[in-house]
Amino acid sequence: MSTLVYEKHLDDIRVEFDALYTWDYERSRDGLNRLYEKAKRAQWNVSDDLDWSTPVDPWRLMALQAEETGVPAGFPGRALAEVPNSPVADWDEDRWIDFAVHSQCTSLSQFLHGEQGALLCASRLVEAVPWMEAKYYAATQVVDEARHVEAFHRYLDEKMPATYPINENLKTLLDDLLRDPQWDLVYLGMQVVVEGLALAAFGMMMGTTRDPLLRQMIRYVLADEARHVAFGILSLEEVYGDFSSTEFRERQEFAYEACRLMRRRTFNAELWPSFGVSNEEVEALLPPTRGQQAFQHLLFSKIVPNCKKLGLLDHRDGWLRERFGEMGILQYEHASTEVEELTIDSAIDPVEA
Ligand SMILES: [Fe+2]
Ligand SMILES: [Fe+2]
């Protein structure tokens, strides 16, 4: 049983938006119809389809992962050991393995909380979108997201030593998404940015973990998430067709802000203090090594090509293209948007056009 101390168990935010009935039951959107049919056939059950009797020793698996991948335990935070007067200079291998296990707990915890955010956003879309086939599809996503929350919670609870609270940048973004009265921004923030980041982060964990249970679980989750991103793209392509330049500009800025918040999320701020190192020390001392940057940038590898597909990258003389260039993530504009296993090697050798 993993431990988690919450300051409070319930957290409320006030949201106001229009819930829409539609009396037009015709389904004319072919892409959304096919996605809905696919979603109904692809349902799976956390209780029955995963082998929960699989024994998991996170420390042994982490040592094995470091040995087999050649990526040292605790990467990329481990770069801190190399700086002069480093507060972690005397950590031995066991300490780094423990740090890596807890780092995995923080990632899984953010997946868990992000999934709950997705659950709330998807249910919100059921109420707010004007098209019947989008309401049908969003309803299947509600079930998917509930299943993902269930899966990550069960894995953390039964197999890992700790669950960490939500990262404040992720919480800020989820609050912003849920508060916004414009439903297309819920799509853009959740289905394109947060889920795009999840596709990459899940792909990275699937590519590195040595636990067959976690691998299988992520494989199932990824198959669902790929549909969710497709749902966002299909819906937004239609909405954006009618947008004015000003409305489009607002979406560009929203996508940029969401990406900035998500980049700050990757500092692992929940973790360091419990290992006796303050976040100020980490930010001041940790040099942005090539490997560490590549690792962070890889997380955006699914978001950038989808922003391009939606026309957000190049509107207004390429405003967002320039911002993504400054963030160092523009090289992913031609990257694949398919579900795949991602490795650090694929980050360090940038994706070709
Ligand atoms: Fe999900
Ligand atoms: Fe999702």
Side-chain angles (χ1 to χ4, degrees):
M1 179 82 94
S2 78
T3 52
L4 169 64
V5 178
Y6 289 102
E7 280 176 24
K8 50 186 176 179
H9 280 274
L10 289 173
D11 203 358
D12 62 326
I13 57 166
R14 178 143 294 275
V15 296
E16 225 170 273
F17 65 96
D18 293 334
L20 280 179
Y21 292 103
T22 171
W23 309 121
D24 178 5
Y25 293 96
E26 286 310 308
R27 293 160 58 190
S28 55
R29 292 172 179 82
D30 193 41
L32 288 181
N33 287 333
R34 279 188 283 129
L35 208 54
Y36 174 56
E37 291 303 322
K38 196 171 169 183
K40 285 187 291 181
R41 288 190 199 102
Q43 295 297 308
W44 52 282
N45 187 336
V46 174
S47 316
D48 299 337
D49 294 322
L50 291 168
D51 181 4
W52 291 98
S53 68
T54 309
V56 179
D57 177 343
W59 293 271
R60 192 186 63 77
L61 290 166
M62 193 54 76
L64 186 67
Q65 176 184 317
E67 194 185 309
E68 290 183 359
T69 60
V71 178
F75 177 88
R78 195 168 181 157
L80 190 61
E82 308 302 321
V83 305
N85 303 320
S86 170
V88 300
D90 60 347
W91 284 16
D92 61 12
E93 193 56 29
D94 284 350
R95 181 82 164 147
W96 280 113
I97 287 174
D98 192 42
F99 178 82
V101 167
H102 280 265
S103 177
Q104 192 180 27
C105 290
T106 60
S107 298
L108 287 164
S109 301
Q110 301 319 315
F111 294 168
L112 167 71
H113 305 312
E115 293 293 358
Q116 185 186 171
L119 174 66
L120 268 59
C121 284
S123 67
R124 160 85 182 275
L125 287 174
V126 174
E127 292 181 274
V129 286
W131 314 318
M132 187 48 84
E133 53 276 74
K135 287 182 187 293
Y136 285 174
Y137 182 79
T140 69
Q141 189 178 332
V142 172
V143 182
D144 292 348
E145 305 298 10
R147 184 170 54 235
H148 300 170
V149 177
E150 179 193 355
F152 283 112
H153 174 255
R154 183 163 178 186
Y155 188 82
L156 276 161
D157 193 45
E158 292 185 12
K159 308 294 183 186
M160 297 301 280
T163 301
Y164 285 81
I166 189 166
N167 171 279
E168 62 180 281
N169 294 300
L170 177 59
K171 176 68 166 48
T172 302
L173 179 58
L174 294 177
D175 285 358
D176 287 351
L177 294 182
L178 288 167
R179 277 202 196 101
D180 204 293
Q182 302 173 92
W183 58 262
D184 77 280
L185 287 179
V186 180
Y187 268 109
L188 179 58
M190 177 48 68
Q191 313 287 113
V192 177
V193 177
V194 179
E195 310 238 66
L197 195 116
L199 278 187
F202 293 165
M204 284 161 82
M205 198 174 276
M206 194 166 75
T208 50
T209 182
R210 267 39 193 173
D211 175 13
L213 168 62
L214 182 59
R215 244 180 124 73
Q216 186 56 36
M217 186 175 108
I218 294 178
R219 188 168 288 130
Y220 277 129
V221 172
L222 266 174
D224 295 342
E225 298 301 351
R227 286 196 308 274
H228 303 168
V229 175
F231 175 48
I233 301 296
L234 276 174
S235 308
L236 288 179
E237 276 175 339
E238 180 168 342
V239 185
Y240 286 178
D242 297 327
F243 269 7
S244 69
S245 179
T246 315
E247 287 169 318
F248 220 68
R249 178 189 180 133
E250 200 189 323
R251 272 69 191 169
Q252 279 184 310
E253 288 168 6
F254 185 88
Y256 174 56
E257 279 309 316
C259 287
R260 270 168 31 108
L261 277 170
M262 289 300 91
R263 189 167 62 162
R264 287 212 293 273
R265 189 192 79 99
T266 60
F267 277 120
N268 246 344
E270 310 74 50
L271 180 61
W272 286 103
S274 55
F275 278 77
V277 184
S278 74
N279 282 314
E280 291 72 28
E281 274 179 299
V282 179
E283 288 199 36
L285 293 174
L286 195 55
T289 63
R290 187 165 170 259
Q292 186 202 358
Q293 279 184 337
F295 180 81
Q296 283 188 358
H297 293 166
L298 188 62
L299 288 170
F300 293 86
S301 59
K302 305 292 175 188
I303 300 174
V304 182
N306 280 327
C307 284
K308 184 185 171 79
K309 204 180 280 180
L310 289 167
L312 289 166
L313 216 50
D314 291 305
H315 182 69
R316 217 178 3 142
D317 298 329
W319 183 85
L320 190 58
R321 170 181 293 281
E322 222 172 282
R323 299 289 87 73
F324 280 174
E326 291 160 4
M327 285 174 75
I329 56 175
L330 192 59
Q331 74 268 26
Y332 289 117
E333 69 168 305
H334 304 293
S336 158
T337 51
E338 296 297 310
V339 169
E340 65 206 297
E341 292 183 23
L342 297 171
T343 61
I344 298 301
D345 288 344
S346 65
I348 292 170
D349 302 322
V351 180
E352 296 301 327

